[in-house]
Structures are given as structure tokens and as C-alpha cells.
């Protein structure tokens, strides 16, 4: 589909990457990785022909490319549906033509004229083209995609102007997924998605028949979607047909072999050099010395792949010990105009808690975080505990960093007399060394903004840390450093995040936000996802049918006989097994539905296809009935 040869991109006389070559084939799902500033987004812009470069790019004939950029512009005045329908430019044009033809046919009476006959021919031609392009299905497909990305039906007729940048990005993503693109270029597509929408997008992309090149810092997303990894490091690329985690292992093995081969070669060269020095002084051995020297001249020195090992140095220290209760909230409510986001929320957070705020976008996670730091008004009562000092990392850093000020000026403005002398050292720890401190905030990349905000956060004392999507735009290496620092943090931690890998092992309690309420789950993110069976969108929609397991009370267990306890355990195991089978079947059926939607004729032509499809649905119905019976039986024990 695409051949890239000897590609070089330079900025201000310095090569961002130089002489890179690779091939993009149908079915490739490439994870493009590298540190912030390595050139990942730039390479996507080169592939989309947004910017020029030296080298050659050869595309297959009629290849269509869809590009999800980090920055997008919207035409004001369109509804969500109207904006999403922009994906179907030719279909919309044909609709207008068909409307015009039908209007003429309804009013004209010159049935025998050439003009009337031509209208009939045009009607037939445009109708056939309309059907071929999917004109009778595009509206339903659009609604499915929008719902998969988290929109509700009641949102469809609202103006895009009323939605945040994150939600607008979802509309742009929906448009790309609806188009018949052969190559998808996605620049951090998960940054504005909640966990449910990310899982839905994973399933969609796994069944996508074209080629995908995506930039993402979500390790789990990369592992679940990609089948190939290209790393940009120090101006070169490393290309392996493995998803991210397997790529890391393979890359480490290859580097180990390179190091061993280099070591053996150096040993061999040293031995030959020793013989040359020994023989060249003797006339009888001079020819042997000359022969050995020629051999050395022909040796190609083994090079070891170079790694960019620069990393942040982060440590979060608590200012002082707070009281036992950190936050106490009673009857908290918050609305934006007529939209009620949170209603009568009661909350008690104790010292040293590690909490994750999780839920769909728009359910109030960031809103509650802002309420807790006193950034927005609300109704109800919220009390901070004794000696509580809150550090806050806001999600949208662009609103908190003055664009015309330099990195150094921003830090010096926030510094106190006690730490102003350490500002440059702190910036160095966050990879702002040398001239980088003179960069203005408006030219910083997303990752650089996040690093600066983290650095600035350390200038003020805190023992409670509230972080709203801290990993957005951070490269994987920086995320790992941040995670290690948070694991070592001795204070209270509250994290708003959609990054499953980042949350794993970091929090011990999850607060699920839904329908204006908050529900507490005493476990980590894996436990939360297991409870909700959020493997894909279909399961998320059906979770009102498959109830959340009733929490088993250990005190009640002691009142049962051993036989009853044994029977209950057996039933619970059986129920868990059925739930797993239900989840697997629903994933399979969803994948088949997506295949049918994308290529009905080819899929339906498979031998015994519909018989197998119906059997899966029948099996699913039987399993659901078995689950309900088991649930009733288990409930009788409690």
C-alpha cells in the first residue's frame, strides 16, 4: 500500500529523523512509539502529505488516507449528526441530486420528452450509485459508531459548539471510522476516551481490514490493537512485527546478541592486532602481518542499537502528616445549567487512601476533582481534614500555563523564596535542560506541557495529591517513571484516569461514576472491570441484564454448615464460568456483526456461515437462562 524510502525530516538544520525506510502493507496495525519530541506526530503528517520531506513515498493507486490529528477545527452551527455525516461527502451530494430529480419528476408532465427520459436515466444511475456507496445504511452506521464512542441518542441533535474539545475529537474519530479509508493515521486516539470507549475502539480496530499507523502511549491499547511496532529513537527507526510488549522483549534480546557479537569481534580484532604487532618486526613474518592487516581492513564493525535513556527524575514527598479524615462530603451536588452531573453525593476519604475515579466522560469525575480543590462552586458540604494540603494536577494544562511565558519564567513565578534557587535543577530533572528553559509555553508539545506541570506541582507543599488524566501525552518511559513515583508516595492519592495499565497496582479503591452517583469498589481497576464485564461495548450495554455479583458477607458464611459453604462455592464457580462463556460469545458475535457491516457479501458467502452464527446466538440465550437460574439459587443462600 505504501513504500517509504530514505525519508528525512529536518527542523532548523537539525535532522529529526534521517534516511528511514519501511513498507506499509494491508492488515498492518503499526504502533508508532518513541519519546516526546522523537518525531512520531511529524511522521504521521509526512505520511498524510501535510508536510514535505526529502526521500520518496510511493502509494498504491487510489489509496485513501484518513488522519486523526491532535488539533482539529469544526464548522460552527452543525449538530453532532450533521458533522458526522460529513464523512459521506459523495452520498450527501447524490442525495441532493436525487431530491432535485424527484422534485422535477413530481412537477413535470412532458412524459414523452427527451428531458423527462434523461431524468429517469439519471434517477436510475444515481440510485444505483447511492446504493453501492451504502446510502441506505450510512445513517444507522453513524449512530452505532457515535454510541460506541460514548454519545447518547439525545446528544445527536445538539450543536457541536456545546461540546468540549475531547468530545469533538470523538466526532472526528467517528467520521474517520465511517469512511472507506485504506490507511488510518491516528495520533493519540485514546487521549479523550473513557475506558469503555477505548475497549470499543480496540475491538473496532482489530477487525479493520486496511492498514493502521497509530501513535499512542497506552501500553495496553497498543498490545491489544497492534501487530507491528516501529520505534523512533535518536533519528533512526526500529521495526519489528510484534505488538509493543513483545517488541520490548525482542528488542532487548537483539541488543544482547549485538553486544555479545561486538564483544567477540573486539576480542578477535585485539588478537589479530597483537599478532600484527608481533609479526611486523620480523622479516620472515612480514607477509603474514600484511595479510592480517588486510583482513582487519575488510572487517565491518558491529554496531549496537543506541537507546535514548534520558528519563524524568520524579519524587513526591509529603509536606506533613494530616489528620485521619482527609475529605468529608455531604449531599454534594453540581449542575451545569440544566444538566445535573452529580446529585447528593456523600463521601469519606481517609488518610493514605489510593483511589481511582473511573467512568464514562461527562459523569462528573473531573468535576468532583475541581470541587475538591475549590476551583468550581457547588451545593452541599465539603470539609478538608486537619493539616490537609492539596496538590492538584489539572487535565487541560493549556489553560493553566501562560502561553507567552517561558518555561523558566513559569517556574520562577510559582516558586517561593525557599525553593527558587532550585528551579533550574528541578527543570533539569524533568528534561528541561539548556536552551529548553527558554521555550515559550505556547510552543511546547503535549508531553512537554505535562512534564512542566508536574515540575511546577512540586514547588508547593502537599500531602494529598489529586491528578486528573496525568498521563495524557506523556511517552511510555515518562509514564513508567511517574507510576513508580506515585507508588512510592506516602500520602493520599486520587487519580482520574482512563489508562488501565497505568492504574494497575497503583490504587486499592475505585469510585465508579454513573448517573449522577458514585459507587465504591474495594479493589483495583482489574476488579472494577471484572465486575462490570466491560470487555466491549455490547457487554457495557447489557450490564443491566447481567447483574453485578452480590457481595458475599463473610459473617454469614460462618453461620452456614460446611456442606452449604461447599455447595455455595461450587455454585459461584459455575456462575463465574458461565459469565466467562457469555463474555466470550458476546465478543465473537460483536466481531461477526462488525464483519457483516463492513463486507456483507464476502462474509455471508462462507460455508455454513449463518447456521454457525445462529447457533452462537442460541447458545448465548441458553447461557443467559442458566445464569439467571443460578443467580436465583445463589441468592437463596444470602
Amino acid at each position: 500500500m505504501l513504500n517509504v524510502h530514505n525519508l528525512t525530516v529536518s527542523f532548523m538544520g537539525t535532522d529529526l529523523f534521517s534516511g528511514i525506510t519501511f513498507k506499509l502493507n494491508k492488515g498492518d496495525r503499526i504502533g508508532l512509539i518513541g519519546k516526546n519530541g522523537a518525531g512520531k506526530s511529524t511522521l504521521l503528517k509526512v505520511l498524510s502529505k501535510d508536510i514535505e520531506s526529502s526521500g520518496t513515498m510511493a502509494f498504491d493507486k487510489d489509496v485513501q488516507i484518513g488522519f486523526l490529528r491532535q488539533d482539529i477545527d469544526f464548522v460552527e452551527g452543525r449538530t453532532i449528526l450533521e458533522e458526522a455525516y460529513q464523512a459521506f461527502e459523495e452520498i450527501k451530494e447524490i442525495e441532493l441530486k436525487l431530491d432535485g430529480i424527484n422534485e422535477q419528476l413530481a412537477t413535470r408532465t412532458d412524459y414523452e420528452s427527451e428531458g423527462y427520459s434523461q431524468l429517469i436515466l439519471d434517477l436510475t444511475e444515481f440510485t444505483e450509485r447511492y446504493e453501492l456507496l451504502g446510502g441506505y445504511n450510512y445513517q444507522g452506521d453513524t449512530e452505532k459508531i457515535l454510541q460506541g464512542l460514548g454519545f447518547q441518542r439525545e446528544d445527536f441533535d445538539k450543536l457541536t459548539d456545546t461540546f468540549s474539545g475531547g468530545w469533538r475529537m470523538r466526532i472526528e474519530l467517528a467520521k474517520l471510522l465511517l469512511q472507506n479509508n485504506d490507511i488510518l493515521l491516528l495520533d493519540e486516539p485514546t487521549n479523550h476516551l473513557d475506558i469503555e470507549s477505548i475497549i470499543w475502539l480496540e475491538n473496532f480496530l482489530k477487525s479493520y481490514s486496511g492498514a493502521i499507523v497509530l501513535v499512542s502511549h497506552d501500553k495496553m491499547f497498543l498490545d491489544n490493537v497492534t501487530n507491528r511496532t516501529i520505534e523512533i529513537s535518536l533519528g533512526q527507526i526500529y521495526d519489528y512485527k510484534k505488538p509493543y510488549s513483545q517488541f520490548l522483549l525482542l528488542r532487548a534480546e537483539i541488543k544482547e546478541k549485538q553486544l555479545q557479537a561486538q564483544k567477540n569481534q573486539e576480542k578477535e580484532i585485539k588478537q589479530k592486532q597483537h599478532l600484527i604487532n608481533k609479526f611486523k618486526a620480523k622479516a620472515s613474518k612480514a607477509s603474514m602481518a600484511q595479510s592480517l592487516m588486510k583482513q582487519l581492513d575488510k572487517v565491518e564493525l558491529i554496531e549496537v542499537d543506541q537507546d535514548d535513556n534520558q528519563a524524568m527524575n520524579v519524587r513526591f514527598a509529603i509536606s506533613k502528616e494530616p489528620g485521619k479524615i482527609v475529605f468529608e462530603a455531604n449531599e454534594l451536588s453540581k449542575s451545569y445549567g440544566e444538566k445535573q452531573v452529580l446529585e447528593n453525593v456523600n463521601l469519606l476519604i481517609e488518610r493514605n487512601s489510593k483511589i481511582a475515579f473511573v467512568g464514562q466522560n461527562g459523569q462528573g469525575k473531573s468535576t468532583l476533582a475541581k470541587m475538591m480543590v475549590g476551583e468550581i462552586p457547588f451545593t452541599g458540604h465539603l470539609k478538608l481534614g486537619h493539616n490537609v494540603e492539596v496538590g492538584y494536577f489539572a487535565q487541560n494544562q493549556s489553560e493553566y500555563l501562560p502561553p507567552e511565558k517561558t518555561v523558566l519564567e513559569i517556574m520562577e513565578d510559582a516558586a517561593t523564596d525557599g525553593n527558587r534557587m532550585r528551579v533550574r535543577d528541578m527543570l533539569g530533572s524533568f528534561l528541561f535542560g539548556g536552551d529548553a528553559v527558554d521555550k515559550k509555553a505556547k510552543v511546547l508539545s503535549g508531553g512537554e506541557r505535562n512534564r512542566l506541570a508536574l515540575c511546577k506541582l512540586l514547588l508547593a507543599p502537599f500531602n494529598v495529591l489529586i491528578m486528573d488524566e496525568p498521563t495524557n501525552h506523556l511517552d511510555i518511559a515518562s509514564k513508567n517513571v511517574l507510576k513508580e513515583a506515585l507508588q512510592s508516595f506516602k500520602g493520599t492519592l486520587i487519580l482520574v484516569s482512563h489508562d488501565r495499565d497505568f492504574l494497575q497496582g497503583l490504587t486499592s479503591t475505585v469510585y465508579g461514576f454513573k448517573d449522577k452517583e458514585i459507587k465504591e469498589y474495594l479493589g483495583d481497576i482489574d476488579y472494577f472491570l471484572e465486575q462490570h464485564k466491560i470487555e466491549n461495548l455490547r457487554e457495557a450495554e447489557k450490564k443491566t441484564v447481567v447483574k453485578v455479583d452480590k457481595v458475599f458477607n463473610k459473617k454469614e458464611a460462618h453461620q452456614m454448615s460446611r456442606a452449604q459453604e461447599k455447595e455455595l462455592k461450587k455454585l459461584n464457580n459455575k456462575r463465574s464460568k458461565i459469565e466467562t462463556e457469555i463474555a466470550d460469545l458476546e465478543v465473537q458475535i460483536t466481531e461477526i456483526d462488525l464483519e457483516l457491516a463492513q463486507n456483507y457479501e464476502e462474509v455471508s458467502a462462507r460455508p455454513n456461515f449463518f447456521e454457525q452464527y445462529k447457533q452462537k446466538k442460541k447458545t448465548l440465550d441458553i447461557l443467559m437462562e442458566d445464569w439467571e437460574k443460578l443467580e436465583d439459587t445463589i441468592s437463596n443462600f444470602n
Side-chain angles (χ1 to χ4, degrees):
M1 299 181 83
L2 168 62
N3 278 308
V4 176
H5 181 70
N6 205 28
L7 198 68
T8 299
V9 173
S10 301
F11 285 113
M12 300 177 68
T14 303
D15 288 346
L16 189 58
F17 41 78
S18 175
I20 65 175
T21 297
F22 65 93
K23 188 175 181 180
L24 184 61
N25 302 304
K26 187 175 182 179
D28 281 344
R29 299 194 296 273
I30 296 176
L32 190 60
I33 66 169
K35 291 199 167 185
N36 294 131
K40 304 183 296 296
S41 296
T42 300
L43 181 54
L44 291 188
K45 290 174 183 176
V46 170
L47 297 180
S48 68
K49 303 177 185 177
D50 277 11
I51 60 177
E52 294 182 356
S53 63
S54 63
T56 59
M57 293 194 302
F59 292 88
D60 286 354
K61 188 179 179 182
D62 299 325
V63 164
Q64 293 188 57
I65 300 174
F67 183 19
L68 179 72
R69 299 166 176 82
Q70 287 193 27
D71 300 313
I72 53 173
D73 293 318
F74 269 89
V75 176
E76 293 187 358
R78 288 177 183 160
T79 66
I80 287 177
L81 271 183
E82 287 170 343
E83 184 62 46
Y85 288 159
Q86 299 305 307
F88 306 100
E89 188 175 340
E90 188 177 354
I91 287 177
K92 299 302 288 183
E93 288 176 359
I94 293 176
E95 280 184 343
L96 290 173
K97 291 175 180 176
L98 287 173
D99 288 343
I101 292 171
N102 285 319
E103 188 177 336
Q104 290 188 61
L105 291 174
T107 56
R108 291 176 60 162
T109 56
D110 54 335
Y111 307 122
E112 305 299 327
S113 69
E114 284 188 23
Y116 197 89
S117 297
Q118 187 61 47
L119 282 176
I120 297 296
L121 290 173
D122 290 345
L123 179 65
T124 303
E125 181 184 341
F126 286 131
T127 301
E128 288 176 354
R129 180 64 179 165
Y130 186 75
E131 185 174 0
L132 182 66
L133 292 171
Y136 297 111
N137 301 319
Y138 81 92
Q139 292 178 333
D141 291 343
T142 301
E143 292 184 9
K144 286 178 186 175
I145 295 288
L146 287 172
Q147 286 181 307
L149 290 172
F151 289 98
Q152 304 297 321
R153 284 189 177 274
E154 53 266 30
D155 295 330
F156 291 169
D157 294 322
K158 294 177 182 176
L159 295 177
T160 59
D161 315 16
T162 62
F163 286 81
S164 67
W167 283 99
R168 291 188 185 188
M169 186 67 76
R170 291 186 188 216
I171 302 170
E172 193 68 14
L173 178 57
K175 286 159 63 177
L176 279 184
L177 300 183
L178 287 163
Q179 291 168 346
N180 253 335
N181 292 305
D182 303 294
I183 299 174
L184 278 181
L185 307 175
L186 306 175
D187 197 353
E188 301 202 32
T190 65
N191 266 3
H192 301 286
L193 299 183
D194 51 51
I195 290 176
E196 293 184 25
S197 298
I198 290 173
I199 294 172
W200 178 89
L201 180 61
E202 284 176 359
N203 289 323
F204 186 97
L205 293 178
K206 281 189 284 190
S207 62
Y208 182 72
S209 59
I212 300 169
V213 183
L214 68 91
V215 174
S216 178
H217 300 135
D218 185 329
K219 188 171 79 173
M220 193 173 289
F221 183 74
L222 287 169
D223 281 340
N224 290 340
V225 171
T226 64
N227 55 18
R228 181 177 164 193
T229 300
I230 293 180
E231 180 186 26
I232 304 178
S233 178
L234 301 174
Q236 301 299 314
I237 65 167
Y238 302 93
D239 185 356
Y240 298 99
K241 291 185 177 179
K242 298 287 182 183
Y244 178 73
S245 293
Q246 293 179 39
F247 155 80
L248 288 182
L249 293 173
L250 184 60
R251 181 119 147 71
E253 288 174 10
I254 290 173
K255 187 174 179 181
E256 183 63 34
K257 289 177 181 177
Q258 287 176 338
L259 285 167
Q260 188 59 49
Q262 187 185 60
K263 187 177 179 181
N264 292 337
Q265 187 185 60
E266 288 172 351
K267 184 178 179 181
E268 186 180 341
I269 290 171
K270 188 176 180 180
Q271 288 173 341
K272 286 184 177 180
Q273 191 62 56
H274 175 71
L275 290 173
I276 290 169
N277 294 336
K278 184 177 178 181
F279 293 155
K280 69 181 180 181
K282 299 179 181 179
S284 61
K285 303 287 188 180
S287 61
M288 290 182 66
Q290 286 293 326
S291 176
L292 287 170
M293 288 171 69
K294 287 179 181 178
Q295 289 178 29
L296 280 184
D297 289 339
K298 292 179 181 178
V299 170
E300 289 188 14
L301 295 178
I302 294 171
E303 293 185 357
V304 178
D305 295 340
Q306 296 300 305
D307 292 329
D308 185 354
N309 293 316
Q310 269 195 313
M312 294 192 304
N313 182 14
V314 188
R315 180 174 172 272
F316 297 113
I318 64 170
S319 53
K320 55 189 173 185
E321 189 76 3
K324 184 179 180 182
I325 305 301
V326 173
F327 285 106
E328 186 173 1
N330 293 297
E331 304 295 317
L332 279 188
S333 297
K334 176 63 183 176
S335 61
Y336 295 98
E338 295 181 358
K339 185 179 180 181
Q340 188 81 31
V341 180
L342 295 170
E343 188 172 17
N344 297 328
V345 170
N346 296 311
L347 205 60
L348 187 69
I349 297 177
E350 295 187 351
R351 179 180 59 217
N352 299 337
S353 298
K354 311 294 181 187
I355 297 169
F357 285 0
V358 174
Q360 289 185 331
N361 286 355
Q363 294 293 329
K365 306 184 299 295
S366 296
T367 295
L368 181 57
K370 290 176 182 177
M371 290 160 63
M372 295 171 83
V373 298
E375 191 170 292
I376 56 174
F378 55 88
T379 60
H381 302 282
L382 180 61
K383 181 183 177 183
L384 267 66
H386 178 64
N387 276 345
V388 168
E389 294 179 330
V390 181
Y392 176 51
F393 182 94
Q395 179 180 160
N396 191 352
Q397 295 304 322
S398 60
E399 295 178 7
Y400 294 85
L401 300 176
E404 295 299 329
K405 290 198 173 185
T406 67
V407 169
L408 183 59
E409 288 171 343
I410 290 170
M411 283 292 288
E412 286 179 338
D413 288 348
T416 63
D417 291 339
N419 56 28
R420 186 166 283 108
M421 296 296 293
R422 295 193 296 112
V423 161
R424 283 186 178 271
D425 290 338
M426 291 173 68
L427 285 171
S429 297
F430 283 80
L431 307 183
F432 290 105
D435 295 339
V437 299
D438 296 321
K439 282 185 177 180
K440 289 188 176 182
K442 66 182 180 182
V443 302
L444 297 179
S445 68
E448 287 172 326
R449 285 175 177 272
N450 270 26
R451 292 207 309 269
L452 178 55
L454 285 169
C455 189
K456 182 183 172 187
L457 179 66
L458 297 180
L459 289 170
F462 57 82
N463 47 32
V464 175
L465 187 51
I466 300 176
M467 308 191 85
D468 192 354
E469 302 290 6
T471 62
N472 276 359
H473 303 292
L474 281 185
D475 58 54
I476 294 173
S478 297
K479 280 168 57 173
N480 290 338
V481 170
L482 176 60
K483 184 171 181 176
E484 289 175 8
L486 291 175
Q487 285 173 328
S488 301
F489 178 53
K490 302 300 183 184
T492 304
L493 177 63
I494 298 172
L495 270 176
V496 182
S497 180
H498 61 259
D499 191 322
R500 293 157 292 171
D501 177 71
F502 184 73
L503 288 174
Q504 282 177 338
L506 201 48
T507 63
S508 55
T509 305
V510 174
Y511 285 169
F513 286 64
K514 187 181 178 185
D515 297 333
K516 309 169 195 174
E517 297 179 349
I518 300 174
K519 184 177 179 181
E520 184 180 29
Y521 296 84
L522 298 177
D524 64 4
I525 188 64
D526 290 332
Y527 175 78
F528 171 80
L529 291 175
E530 180 187 340
Q531 290 294 302
H532 281 259
K533 300 296 175 186
I534 307 176
E535 297 291 340
N536 55 37
L537 181 63
R538 174 162 294 200
E539 287 179 46
E541 289 172 343
K542 286 189 173 183
K543 61 190 175 188
T544 53
V545 177
V546 182
K547 305 170 189 175
V548 175
D549 292 351
K550 184 174 180 181
V551 178
F552 183 63
N553 191 320
K554 291 182 181 179
K555 289 183 180 178
E556 292 176 356
H558 292 305
Q559 297 171 5
M560 297 181 187
S561 67
R562 287 188 177 273
Q564 285 176 317
E565 287 182 12
K566 189 175 179 180
E567 179 64 20
L568 181 59
K569 185 177 180 181
K570 183 179 177 182
L571 290 171
N572 278 323
N573 289 339
K574 189 174 181 181
R575 179 176 61 180
S576 296
K577 184 180 177 182
I578 290 175
E579 286 172 350
T580 301
E581 291 175 1
I582 288 171
D584 290 343
L585 266 177
E586 287 182 341
V587 169
Q588 293 173 30
I589 291 170
T590 299
E591 289 175 349
I592 293 171
D593 288 341
L594 284 170
E595 282 189 279
L596 281 170
Q598 292 170 355
N599 198 343
Y600 179 84
E601 291 184 4
E602 182 182 326
V603 175
S604 60
R606 294 174 187 167
N608 303 320
F609 169 77
F610 281 109
E611 288 81 355
Q612 294 172 5
Y613 184 42
K614 289 176 182 176
Q615 184 58 46
K616 287 182 185 294
K617 289 196 168 186
K618 184 179 179 182
T619 304
L620 179 61
D621 291 338
I622 293 170
L623 285 171
M624 292 295 289
E625 289 177 9
D626 291 346
W627 184 91
E628 288 178 4
K629 290 175 184 176
L630 267 174
E631 181 69 15
D632 289 339
T633 305
I634 291 171
S635 65
N636 292 331
F637 278 82
N638 296 290

